[in-house]
Structures are given as structure tokens and as C-alpha cells.
């Protein structure tokens, strides 16, 4: 099963710019440990993952009545602080949640991908 993992908030962490260089390095080590644990786990593959620019760089596209409009900024409050994402294939949600425990204590949303075929 494929899962979209959204890193949607700082959770218990302070904002990235407020970290010292040493604290930033420690957070990055946690991401590296997560990547390694996923590589070592049978049936788990990180298919994609990226850090994202801040909410001031987001663009929302809406189509209403056949007209498309673009708005600067995120669509909803919940994703205003979205910092990154992973697309991960894992045998089940329990395995994924266990591995996500390696990451920094961000707020995370997990959504299973739907295979229409």
C-alpha cells in the first residue's frame, strides 16, 4: 500500500529558523536515520520525499463555474506550515507509524493512496 505522509507542523519542535546550527544538524540526522530504517525494512520503499518552501510561496488553484483562479498562499490552515512530504510504500499502516517514530516530533498526516485499478 502507498501512503502520502505530510509533515504539516512543527509539533513539539521550534520553527526551523529558530534552531541553532547544531540543532538543525541533529534534526537532519533524524531524517537520515528514518531514510536508513526504511531502506533496511523489508517491504518499505520511499518513493518520493522533499522539503517544501514555506507557506508564503504556496499557490492555491480553484476552479468554480469553469473559471480557474490562482491565490497566493496555502488553501487551509492545517497546511500553512507544511514542511515536506514522503510517498512511501509499506506493508501496512502499523509498519509506517513505527518508522515515522524515528522522525522529529512533527505533526504528521498520513493518507493511503487509492489505486483506481
Amino acid at each position: 500500500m502507498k501512503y502520502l505522509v505530510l509533515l504539516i507542523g512543527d509539533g513539539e519542535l521550534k520553527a526551523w529558523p529558530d534552531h541553532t546550527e547544531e540543532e538543525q544538524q541533529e534534526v537532519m540526522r533524524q531524517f537520515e536515520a528514518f531514510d536508513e530504517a526504511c531502506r533496511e525494512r523489508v517491504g518499505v520503499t520511499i518513493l518520493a520525499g522533499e522539503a517544501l518552501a514555506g507557506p508564503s510561496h504556496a499557490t492555491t488553484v480553484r476552479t468554480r463555474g469553469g473559471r480557474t483562479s490562482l491565490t497566493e498562499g496555502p488553501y487551509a490552515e492545517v497546511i500553512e506550515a507544511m514542511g515536506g512530504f514522503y510517498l512511501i510504500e509499506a506493508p501496512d499502516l502499523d509498519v509506517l507509524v513505527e518508522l515515522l517514530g524515528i522522525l522529529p516530533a512533527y505533526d504528521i498526516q498520513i493518507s493511503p493512496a487509492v489505486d483506481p485499478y
Side-chain angles (χ1 to χ4, degrees):
M1 163 114 357
K2 292 179 187 172
Y3 296 93
L4 179 62
V5 177
L6 300 175
L7 307 176
I8 58 171
D10 295 324
E12 293 184 338
L13 300 178
K14 56 188 170 186
W16 185 254
D18 296 337
H19 282 75
T20 65
E21 185 174 331
E22 293 79 23
E23 291 169 331
Q24 288 179 348
Q25 289 173 359
E26 175 54 32
V27 169
M28 294 310 297
R29 280 191 287 275
Q30 289 176 279
F31 280 103
E32 291 165 2
F34 174 73
D35 290 351
E36 183 177 338
C38 288
R39 280 193 304 276
E40 293 175 354
R41 189 65 168 262
V42 174
V44 176
T45 304
I46 296 176
L47 302 171
E50 294 290 338
L52 300 174
S56 64
H57 299 282
T59 300
T60 300
V61 179
R62 291 182 178 86
T63 303
R64 301 290 185 271
R67 300 185 81 168
T68 302
S69 65
L70 301 178
T71 305
E72 291 183 19
Y75 178 71
E77 276 186 44
V78 71
I79 62 170
E80 282 186 10
M82 188 163 51
F85 75 93
Y86 285 102
L87 180 61
I88 298 177
E89 187 154 346
D92 58 50
L93 184 61
D94 292 336
V95 169
L96 180 58
V97 169
E98 175 189 330
L99 288 166
L100 290 173
I102 297 169
L103 290 175
Y106 290 119
D107 293 335
I108 296 174
Q109 177 179 314
I110 303 168
S111 297
V114 177
D115 184 357
Y117 305 103

